[in-house]
Amino acid sequence: MNEELERRLRNFLSYNLFNIKELKSKKIEIDLLLIDINLENLDKKLLKYYELNIPVILLVGKEDTVYMRKYFVNNMIKDYVLRDNLEDLEELIIFHTKYKPEFDGIFLKDCCRAGVINIKDIDYITYSSITRESEFHLKNGRTFSVKKKFSDIERIQEKILDFVKLERGTIVNISRVSFLNYKEEKIIFKNGGFIHLNKLKLKKVEEYLKYKKQYNFFL
């Protein structure tokens, strides 16, 4: 990537960023590669990183998005993002560097309530500005609420695979999504419950669904 883009990334992202040239002389484990689509011999290098099992996010221009399908179908990249959209890039880095947790539940406690919720039982999480509570919406239709700031709850989407923050005060468990209804602008979960989100957010969910490994068969 060019020096100006590299400078912007270093200023915006709070990660240890290394130029790939620097890594040749250092023994550093690579968590993720950010590669500009204009890189010379791109396909050859993507194949190399694929064989080394190194995940890649491509930085692209609007005119490049039509070419992304071939990379996804062949699992050559983890994701792509417009090179000027640094906020979305940061979200993708969080999502693709998560790990599957060794724990099954989340312990929640405030001054009045305490409980353990199984991760697989959570459809989505929202924050109520009226009650000032974070609400865990479960697959059985029930809601578990705790008096906690949503900024504390957001840690879940930084650590646990499939939890994605779609907007301020809303986190969705991608693995619980059944389908998207663009006409009515809502996500429908496997238990029949739903949440309304605008088309832009639904498209974001679609991208996550489409390119998870278990969803990579295209029709």
Side-chain angles (χ1 to χ4, degrees), residues 18 23 26-32:
F18 298 91
L23 298 179
K26 298 180 181 180
K27 293 183 178 180
I28 298 175
E29 184 176 347
I30 301 174
D31 296 314
L32 189 73

Side-chain angles (χ1 to χ4, degrees), residues 16 30 44 46 72 107 132 184 208 219:
N16 292 322
I30 301 174
K44 181 179 179 180
L46 287 180
F72 278 120
F107 181 78
R132 296 186 179 180
E184 298 180 11
Y208 282 122
L219 287 175

Side-chain angles (χ1 to χ4, degrees), residues 11-206:
N11 288 338
F12 186 84
L13 299 172
S14 56
Y15 295 92
N16 292 322
L17 299 179
F18 298 91
N19 189 298
I20 195 69
K21 296 176 182 177
E22 301 174 30
L23 298 179
K24 293 181 179 179
S25 59
K26 298 180 181 180
K27 293 183 178 180
I28 298 175
E29 184 176 347
I30 301 174
D31 296 314
L32 189 73
L33 279 178
L34 305 178
I35 297 179
D36 193 284
I37 196 171
N38 293 324
L39 179 69
E40 189 176 351
N41 297 319
L42 176 66
D43 287 15
K44 181 179 179 180
K45 290 179 179 177
L46 287 180
L47 178 60
K48 171 187 173 182
Y49 297 131
Y50 171 76
E51 292 173 345
L52 293 172
N53 198 29
I54 298 175
V56 171
I57 293 179
L58 272 186
L59 307 179
V60 305
K62 290 182 179 179
E63 68 280 3
D64 301 313
T65 56
V66 295
Y67 304 112
M68 292 303 102
R69 182 183 176 90
K70 70 172 183 177
Y71 294 125
F72 278 120
V73 170
N74 294 307
N75 292 318
M76 302 294 285
I77 64 173
K78 281 291 184 182
D79 224 317
Y80 72 94
V81 65
L82 296 178
R83 62 174 65 88
D84 293 329
N85 196 336
L86 298 186
E87 290 185 356
D88 276 4
L89 172 59
E90 186 172 37
E91 289 187 14
L92 290 180
I93 291 174
I94 290 172
F95 182 76
H96 290 298
T97 53
K98 295 176 188 176
Y99 56 87
K100 288 189 178 294
E102 297 177 356
F103 44 85
D104 297 319
I106 302 171
F107 181 78
L108 295 166
K109 185 179 185 300
D110 62 16
C111 61
C112 304
R113 289 156 291 195
V116 176
I117 299 178
N118 191 302
I119 293 169
K120 295 179 181 178
D121 289 343
I122 302 170
D123 283 344
Y124 62 99
I125 310 166
T126 55
Y127 182 76
S128 171
S129 58
I130 298 174
T131 62
R132 296 186 179 180
E133 293 180 331
S134 293
E135 301 173 339
F136 287 72
H137 302 264
L138 309 180
K139 67 179 184 180
N140 60 10
R142 301 179 66 181
T143 301
F144 186 90
S145 302
V146 286
K147 285 275 187 184
K148 280 188 175 293
K149 294 185 296 184
F150 203 74
S151 57
D152 294 332
I153 300 299
E154 284 178 350
R155 292 167 51 201
I156 190 174
Q157 62 96 30
E158 296 176 357
K159 296 295 184 181
I160 303 177
L161 195 68
D162 290 338
F163 281 75
V164 179
K165 180 182 175 183
L166 293 177
E167 60 186 11
R168 185 178 180 183
T170 303
I171 294 173
V172 167
N173 183 353
I174 295 295
S175 67
R176 292 285 305 150
V177 174
S178 178
F179 62 94
L180 310 175
N181 186 323
Y182 282 96
K183 183 177 180 180
E184 298 180 11
E185 297 191 343
K186 61 185 180 182
I187 296 174
I188 294 86
F189 296 94
K190 292 179 179 179
N191 65 340
F194 62 89
I195 183 174
H196 286 282
L197 288 169
N198 64 41
K199 289 183 174 64
L200 186 62
K201 301 301 181 184
L202 292 180
K203 187 65 179 176
K204 185 174 180 180
V205 175
E206 180 185 333

